[in-house]
Amino acid sequence: MKDVAARAGVGLKTVSRVVNGEPGVTPETERRVQEAIDALGFRRNDSARVLRKGRTASIGLVLEDLADPFYGPLSRAVEEVARAHGALLINGSSAEDPERERELVLALCARRVDGLIVIPAGDDHRYLEPEIGAGMAAVFVDRPAGRIDADVVLSDSYGGARAGVAHLIAYGHRRIGFVGDHPRIHTATERLRGYRAAMAEAGLPVADSWVSLGSTDPERVTGAATAMLSGPEPVTALFAGNNRVTVTAVRVLAGLPRPVALVGFDDFELADLLRPGVTVVAQDAAALGRVAADRLFHRLTGATPRPARTELPTRLIPRGSGEIPPGA
Amino acid sequence: MKDVAARAGVGLKTVSRVVNGEPGVTPETERRVQEAIDALGFRRNDSARVLRKGRTASIGLVLEDLADPFYGPLSRAVEEVARAHGALLINGSSAEDPERERELVLALCARRVDGLIVIPAGDDHRYLEPEIGAGMAAVFVDRPAGRIDADVVLSDSYGGARAGVAHLIAYGHRRIGFVGDHPRIHTATERLRGYRAAMAEAGLPVADSWVSLGSTDPERVTGAATAMLSGPEPVTALFAGNNRVTVTAVRVLAGLPRPVALVGFDDFELADLLRPGVTVVAQDAAALGRVAADRLFHRLTGATPRPARTELPTRLIPRGSGEIPPGA
């Protein structure tokens, strides 16, 4: 740092301010210090990539919904790994809008985050290629990257849904409804694929009216679930494609005169204290975040493995709602 | 933009890249474009403060816990206001650590956010004075700023807790326990003050053993609640200081042979579907975020009102758990 200060013709305190991204330095001085740092190869630690331009290391996390509790443990796990590496975590939300995702990702890159963890809203991430080429590390989580070769950490959506639906079939159900998220969302279609596989394996037909994909807005989900539960041949069980759908389904079923079976993808707080307790296919959201962040920091500290796809197992937790027989 | 391009000696596309913070521009070119922008007074819109240095406008939100569902609607409301102003929202978490808060706030400032909304972990924000002096707008929400004069948006913690405890007293309770968050957190002490006021107004003494402040870790809360509910003169009702405490209290009470009354500060998902439904003192978390963000953008578009403190009302929602009489 003394060499940098001497070369830039400034005091040690000024070098420290620039390195730590603190205020009170003119752009001209910052540039002089930065040039001295570049010339001398000064680094705060030995990881060149973690500390581009000498600032406090930071990583970005792009979520799709700030208010979805599923992302709470995931974000916190990423933050814990970041902190263990002395880095700050900066979050943003795409609000499930591919254009917003791109805008946010590029804004974070422009703000010099060292790496990115992305829960993608879009299905084309070629816009990140120049950044990745320039040394940015990026890991995709919960959903795969589109049209680029990148690290991906997922839950086994297909296998989890298949096991959850097979569980309902084992309890005697033949007419099972599936209410899921938008069909453009990878996890929604994977879980639907799991549902169809379980039905096919049991030799059960699937009526078109038993499947509804779309927004997880409570009104949409209420309408879809209510329609499946009505008519001459109502479904006797529901499979809910994610925690937002499950919570609304619980509310719909609580208003019915007869018990209807329910299995939901994703665990959620208080699921065990409802009556009946809600049977779920649980993902380990914290593990998703931890594995993704570990992968990112592995790259940031200089490793360059080939991009890999990791799939974490899910776990069926029977609590009562998934063990209600048809016509109970 | 043409004038900027001509003065900097670059193409229009390059100016656009710099203005939007997109990659693919060398630092030297970026500096030339920036100097041309500064010289010509080019702005993407007429708000000089929103677009410092011509980048995409962004505001920062510093939370205290990424996994606390209370902050979901608050974050989303801030994001909606930001989006309506064409700005991006960048989040970070202090994890309730004042040093981390300071580090994160300054890192966001160094990354040129135009304004900040802070849920403070610390009680001394003089470190922000140089930033505010340099034109950064900052609004504090949920808890007040410490040792600086700044905009603050709060819920009426004192009044809400007082009304919630008075509700329990009205149902016949005389021995009421209070389990809250850390005493260094403003909302925790305000809610305790409300509890004490309600007890005093009813002429009821408060035994030391009925009050427990500390971490909202489930183990700590379980121990505190269990201790109050045991012994020769157990409390007959609990007041929970926030949603993290309430959720654990529900779990503790579900394991008891007799019903015990409970009122919690903060509403939470599914509170109405538990048996009994959980009576809460609800804050409007979305309104907190919206009011704070509106205040911030008011300043960012050039207004300079004196810093103000806004207190939003709370609302008691009776659902069953708060209407259980003593010895039921």
Side-chain angles (χ1 to χ4, degrees):
Chain A
M1 276 182 76
K2 274 187 198 158
D3 295 339
V4 170
R7 189 180 178 109
V10 299
L12 274 179
K13 178 70 197 158
T14 303
V15 176
S16 157
R17 281 203 178 113
V18 172
V19 167
N20 294 305
E22 286 172 10
V25 183
T26 66
E28 170 55 26
T29 303
E30 183 177 352
R31 193 180 54 78
R32 278 217 317 278
V33 171
Q34 197 58 59
E35 281 171 7
I37 288 171
D38 292 346
L40 293 168
F42 167 82
R43 298 279 177 243
R44 246 179 46 172
N45 68 22
D46 53 10
S47 160
R49 294 178 80 194
V50 165
L51 290 174
R52 292 198 296 168
K53 310 220 178 192
R55 284 161 187 267
T56 305
S58 64
I59 64 166
L61 170 61
V62 176
L63 304 172
E64 60 88 4
D65 181 357
L66 295 171
D68 185 338
F70 173 69
Y71 297 113
L74 191 157
S75 303
R76 195 146 67 176
V78 170
E79 187 185 42
E80 279 163 14
V81 174
R83 187 182 306 207
H85 285 84
L88 289 170
L89 173 65
I90 298 175
N91 283 329
S93 157
S94 67
E96 204 65 90
D97 173 349
E99 184 45 41
R100 188 93 181 161
E101 174 209 302
R102 181 176 168 282
E103 197 184 4
L104 184 62
V105 162
L106 292 178
L108 289 172
C109 290
R111 282 164 180 79
R112 301 184 191 166
V113 295
D114 302 282
L116 275 175
I117 295 177
V118 182
I119 295 163
D123 55 7
D124 185 352
H125 298 95
R126 286 175 298 175
Y127 68 83
L128 257 174
E129 279 175 342
E131 296 294 330
I132 292 172
M136 160 76 65
V139 175
F140 289 75
V141 66
D142 188 39
R143 310 166 181 179
R147 310 183 71 172
I148 62 169
D149 195 20
D151 284 316
V152 175
V153 184
L154 307 171
S155 286
D156 180 11
S157 281
Y158 167 76
R162 187 174 146 191
V165 174
H167 184 76
L168 288 167
I169 294 169
Y171 278 84
H173 295 277
R174 297 292 171 263
R175 298 194 307 274
I176 301 171
F178 180 95
V179 184
D181 210 334
H182 274 295
R184 61 179 161 73
I185 296 174
H186 177 79
T187 49
T189 54
E190 281 296 288
R191 292 169 197 171
L192 176 58
R193 205 164 64 81
Y195 160 85
R196 290 196 185 279
M199 296 294 276
E201 280 156 22
L204 298 172
V206 174
D208 287 349
S209 61
W210 300 350
V211 173
S212 175
L213 299 188
S215 151
T216 58
D217 175 74
E219 210 171 316
R220 206 285 299 177
V221 170
T222 300
T226 305
M228 291 176 194
L229 293 161
S230 318
E233 283 214 313
V235 299
T236 61
L238 284 178
F239 188 85
N242 69 22
N243 82 80
R244 298 296 79 206
V245 175
T246 307
V247 163
T248 299
V250 166
R251 214 166 271 285
V252 169
L253 299 188
L256 294 184
R258 65 185 191 284
V260 168
L262 171 69
V263 173
F265 207 105
D266 296 330
D267 203 3
F268 58 97
E269 190 164 73
L270 300 171
D272 59 323
L273 288 186
L274 293 167
R275 289 290 164 266
V278 180
T279 296
V280 299
V281 176
Q283 301 186 67
D284 190 341
L288 281 174
R290 201 162 46 240
V291 170
D294 283 343
R295 183 81 52 83
L296 186 73
F297 279 98
H298 186 56
R299 284 194 184 278
L300 286 174
T301 48
T304 54
R306 278 192 54 78
R309 179 186 175 112
T310 305
E311 206 164 77
L312 302 184
T314 59
R315 189 165 59 98
L316 184 82
I317 307 177
R319 291 193 181 118
S321 74
E323 296 73 47
I324 297 170
Chain B
M1 276 182 76
K2 274 186 199 160
D3 296 340
V4 170
R7 189 180 178 110
V10 299
L12 274 179
K13 179 68 197 159
T14 302
V15 176
S16 158
R17 280 203 179 113
V18 172
V19 167
N20 294 305
E22 286 170 10
V25 183
T26 67
E28 169 56 23
T29 303
E30 183 178 349
R31 193 180 55 75
R32 279 217 318 278
V33 171
Q34 197 59 60
E35 281 171 7
I37 287 171
D38 293 345
L40 294 168
F42 166 81
R43 299 280 177 242
R44 246 181 42 174
N45 69 21
D46 53 12
S47 159
R49 293 177 79 192
V50 164
L51 290 174
R52 291 197 296 170
K53 311 221 178 192
R55 282 160 188 266
T56 304
S58 64
I59 64 166
L61 170 61
V62 176
L63 304 171
E64 61 87 4
D65 180 359
L66 294 172
D68 184 338
F70 173 69
Y71 297 113
L74 192 157
S75 303
R76 195 145 69 174
V78 170
E79 189 185 40
E80 279 163 13
V81 175
R83 187 182 306 205
H85 285 85
L88 288 170
L89 174 66
I90 298 175
N91 283 329
S93 156
S94 66
E96 204 64 271
D97 173 348
E99 184 45 41
R100 188 92 181 161
E101 173 208 303
R102 180 177 169 281
E103 197 183 3
L104 184 61
V105 162
L106 292 178
L108 290 173
C109 290
R111 281 164 182 78
R112 302 185 190 167
V113 295
D114 301 282
L116 276 175
I117 295 178
V118 182
I119 294 163
D123 56 6
D124 184 352
H125 298 94
R126 286 175 297 176
Y127 68 83
L128 258 175
E129 279 175 342
E131 296 294 330
I132 292 173
M136 161 75 64
V139 174
F140 289 75
V141 67
D142 188 38
R143 310 166 180 179
R147 308 183 73 171
I148 61 168
D149 195 20
D151 284 316
V152 175
V153 183
L154 307 171
S155 287
D156 180 12
S157 281
Y158 167 76
R162 186 173 147 192
V165 175
H167 184 76
L168 289 166
I169 294 169
Y171 277 83
H173 295 278
R174 298 291 170 264
R175 297 193 308 274
I176 301 171
F178 180 96
V179 183
D181 210 333
H182 274 295
R184 62 179 160 73
I185 297 174
H186 177 79
T187 49
T189 54
E190 280 296 288
R191 292 169 197 172
L192 177 58
R193 205 164 64 81
Y195 161 84
R196 290 197 186 278
M199 295 295 274
E201 280 156 22
L204 297 173
V206 174
D208 286 349
S209 60
W210 300 351
V211 173
S212 174
L213 299 190
S215 152
T216 58
D217 176 75
E219 210 170 317
R220 206 283 299 178
V221 170
T222 300
T226 305
M228 290 175 194
L229 292 161
S230 318
E233 283 213 313
V235 299
T236 61
L238 284 178
F239 188 85
N242 69 22
N243 81 80
R244 298 296 80 206
V245 175
T246 308
V247 163
T248 299
V250 165
R251 215 166 271 285
V252 170
L253 299 188
L256 294 184
R258 65 184 190 284
V260 167
L262 171 69
V263 174
F265 208 105
D266 295 331
D267 203 2
F268 58 98
E269 191 164 72
L270 300 171
D272 59 323
L273 288 186
L274 294 168
R275 290 291 165 263
V278 180
T279 297
V280 299
V281 176
Q283 302 186 65
D284 190 340
L288 281 174
R290 202 161 46 239
V291 170
D294 282 343
R295 183 81 51 83
L296 187 73
F297 280 98
H298 186 55
R299 284 194 184 278
L300 285 173
T301 48
T304 55
R306 279 190 55 77
R309 179 186 175 112
T310 305
E311 208 165 76
L312 301 184
T314 60
R315 188 165 61 98
L316 184 83
I317 307 177
R319 292 194 180 115
S321 75
E323 296 74 48
I324 297 170

